[in-house]
Amino acid sequence: MKKLLRRITVIIIVIAVSSYLWGHSFKQRIDPELNDELREYCVKNGLCKDYCIVVDFSIYSGKDRLFIIDMDKNEIVYSALCAHGIGKKFDCSVTPRFSNENGSNLSSLGHFKLDRTRKTSQYDLNAIELHGMDPTNSNAYLRGILIHDGLPDVRIIGLPCLPLSQGCFTVSSKAFNEINELKSRCNKPVMIYSTDRSVF
């Protein structure tokens, strides 16, 4: 009986560790040229020049693809899962597509500025409003594109994160708190930059 319990315990530990290692990002920094571009963009547009958030939609959704970047050091200080928009026909659960069109239920690419934190009127989620700053995301505010919680904190090995997004950046409560705390610390608006090309 003791041997069986030990085996079960070992199996549980192996599954838990494998799940963490499989989905967790161990990257230390993004491409230096991109980091410089983002910092220059923030300075030019009156945004926080110390930190920004980058979402790399080229990464499979079951793995960390949202990164908080210390731009002074080009250092990733936090990473997390992030869901993408599911589309009108719920046909984007694995591979994302992108649109700036109202009602598309798709994610948008480009630079966004974080605005006020509030609760959503539907589902009572914690949310941060976003303003798109590019032609590819200019309708973000009108579309109601937000950063909001809703993802579970636990990932399942091999599976994509749940498609709980109609274009919003959906994250776990833990990740949302990290982002909101960063927003509170910065004396200028924080930028989130989303791309479908590798940031590494």
Side-chain angles (χ1 to χ4, degrees), residues 60-63 65 81-84 93 151 159-164 170:
Y60 176 62
S61 72
K63 296 186 176 185
R65 59 180 178 179
L81 295 176
C82 179
H84 56 261
S93 58
L151 282 187
L159 295 182
C161 67
L162 296 174
L164 301 173
T170 309

Side-chain angles (χ1 to χ4, degrees), residues 24-116:
H24 188 71
S25 174
F26 292 94
K27 300 283 189 181
Q28 299 298 311
R29 64 178 194 162
I30 62 173
D31 179 75
E33 287 187 13
L34 176 60
N35 184 71
D36 291 344
E37 286 176 18
L38 293 176
R39 198 167 194 277
E40 185 179 327
Y41 183 92
C42 289
V43 170
K44 183 179 178 181
N45 290 277
L47 305 173
C48 175
K49 61 182 177 61
D50 301 316
Y51 294 91
C52 76
I53 303 162
V54 171
V55 178
D56 183 345
F57 281 123
S58 73
I59 297 173
Y60 176 62
S61 72
K63 296 186 176 185
D64 287 358
R65 59 180 178 179
L66 180 146
F67 307 98
I68 296 178
I69 312 294
D70 180 332
M71 289 188 287
D72 285 333
K73 300 176 183 176
N74 186 11
E75 180 182 337
I76 295 172
V77 296
Y78 184 78
S79 65
L81 295 176
C82 179
H84 56 261
I86 194 61
K88 285 182 179 179
K89 298 180 181 178
F90 297 88
D91 55 354
C92 299
S93 58
V94 177
T95 304
R97 288 186 290 114
F98 306 97
S99 174
N100 190 33
E101 182 184 338
N102 193 29
S104 67
N105 291 348
L106 296 173
S107 299
S108 297
L109 301 176
H111 306 81
F112 301 78
K113 178 173 67 173
L114 275 64
D115 200 349
R116 70 184 180 114

